[in-house]
Amino acid sequence: MERTLIIFKPDAMNRMLVGQILARFEAKGLRLAAMKLQQSPRAQVEKHYAVHAERPFYGELCDFMTSAPVVVAILEGPSAIRVVRSMLGATNGADAAPGTIRGDFGLDKQYNLVHASDGEETAKQEIELFFKPEEIVDWQRAGDKWICS
Ligand code: CMP
């Protein structure tokens, strides 16, 4: 069982796509372990994207990510990090394969709807950056026994 952090970005919020996209993750069998709506403090966004600090789009990316509230969530399931990234598709929606979230809903490299952790170490760091331990819930769904044999 693996946990990954996702952020429904301001474009998903303003385009009212959160419910549709979340439904795909649920239908896949991934389980919510935490979820909240927040207006992200700029310092948190800058830390989250610190790896891109030298890229020309860093300032614009931080402006974008603080331009509206976002929904932040933790999804869990077998290989959740890899599964969620593959469901999102390529970074640029114009390049993302049909059937992926960005391939079906997006056309842009910045406005790409959802962020998801890209590895085990980043997932751990990102979960710690956005959630307090007491905000994360351990639970079982009635349907879980029909999702993983
Ligand atoms: P994300 O997966 O959240 O990781 C970094 C984000 O930077 C990425 O999604 C995009 O929103 C944004 N991004 C990546 N490449 C570019 C680019 N060339 N120009 C502008 N924004 C970008």
Side-chain angles (χ1 to χ4, degrees), residues 50-108:
V51 67
H52 298 300
E54 303 307 320
R55 309 283 284 274
F57 58 80
Y58 178 67
E60 198 190 327
L61 176 61
C62 294
D63 291 345
F64 163 54
M65 291 298 290
T66 52
S67 66
V70 296
V71 169
V72 194
I74 299 171
L75 293 173
E76 60 188 6
S79 304
I81 297 167
R82 177 172 57 79
V83 167
V84 171
R85 293 277 297 187
S86 69
M87 288 177 72
L88 288 184
T91 300
N92 188 335
D95 302 327
T100 63
I101 289 163
R102 290 169 179 158
D104 288 352
F105 296 113
L107 279 170
D108 193 57

